[in-house]
Amino acid sequence: MSIVVTGATGHLGRHVIEQLLEKVAADQITAVVRTPEKAADFAARGVRIAVADYNAPETFDGLFAADDKVLLISGNEFDKGRVGQHRVVIDAAKAAGVALLAYTSAPGSLTAALADDHRATEEVLLASGVPYSLLRNGWYHENYTEQLAPVLEHNAVVAAAGEGRISSASRADYAAAAAAVLTGEGHENTTYELGGDVAWSFAEYAATLSELTGKEIAYNAVSAEALVGILTGVGVPETFATILAGVDQSIEKGELVVSTGDLSRLAGHPTTPLSEAITAALKG
């Protein structure tokens, strides 16, 4: 039996591998990557490396074995048909007879277009008959803390989310939950709604940034249309800018507040406070 992680050198995948290395022997972990050079550090620590690509179904032939536990980390190539990419992994997992396939999805409450591929993937997974665990990940702190440069340059947080709140958490928090599911028992055919312990608004985010930087940073609430214009103006493709604006509209409706407590319960610790994530990002 191996624990297999797809997208293992991505932002979330790296955290998952690190969390797994704290729980099981390295040779029980298989990191699935497109570019093996990016996984050289994992290989040096004894992690098995498998080379496969969502866009090349044949590369998944024989990759999984019976009784493997697999984490399918959702792809980020929005223009390449993510549901079809995910189906490649699900089909290979079904053919191998894996013990569990966990999938990083989106909160069940999220109606924004961003969630469409996740809902469709969930349908494919449930129809496959493979034992599943839906890890419906909420928003990541890093979605904001990795984009601080323009905020600090203009002393403004700009969003189309009104007074909506977000219960975000760090990637490491979500990775800890995934590792718990992959190494634990009794997670077959489960759905976990995952979010941070504390919800916050963009006004509070701006106030926290002001406090931590000593600068006066304002929250500028704009319309979704205005946000699309701002994002395309700095080079974001219009399709993706529209998706991001749609997420902000969902935030305004409260759709990214996840209050189940599933994340901290699975991770085994309280989720990382936003202020802590901002502090780490400011230190660079």
Side-chain angles (χ1 to χ4, degrees), residues 5-6 50 72 80 93 96 124 131 155-156 172 176-177 192 225 273 276 280:
V5 179
T6 73
L72 168 54
K80 292 190 176 180
V124 172
N155 293 328
Y192 296 110
E225 294 75 18
E276 187 176 309

Side-chain angles (χ1 to χ4, degrees), residues 221-266:
V222 299
S223 68
E225 294 75 18
L227 182 61
V228 170
I230 291 167
L231 293 173
T232 55
V234 294
V236 177
E238 185 171 358
T239 301
F240 192 53
T242 301
I243 288 174
L244 294 176
V247 170
D248 274 12
Q249 290 176 302
S250 283
I251 291 170
E252 186 170 21
K253 298 173 189 172
E255 294 177 6
L256 275 177
V257 174
V258 180
S259 55
T260 60
D262 284 352
L263 181 53
S264 54
R265 188 163 50 249
L266 282 172

Side-chain angles (χ1 to χ4, degrees), residues 34 43 50 64 71 78 83 111 118 121 127-128 156 175 181 196 216 246 250 269:
R34 287 191 293 191
F64 304 130
L71 176 64
F78 293 91
V83 180
T111 64
H118 292 300
T121 298
S128 74
V181 167
E216 191 63 39
S250 283
H269 56 73

Side-chain angles (χ1 to χ4, degrees), residues 102-103 105 122 125-126 132-136 190-193:
Y103 171 65
S105 191
E122 289 184 3
L125 178 53
L126 268 61
Y132 67 87
S133 184
L134 301 179
L135 306 178
R136 288 178 168 170
T190 54
T191 299
Y192 296 110
E193 299 285 350

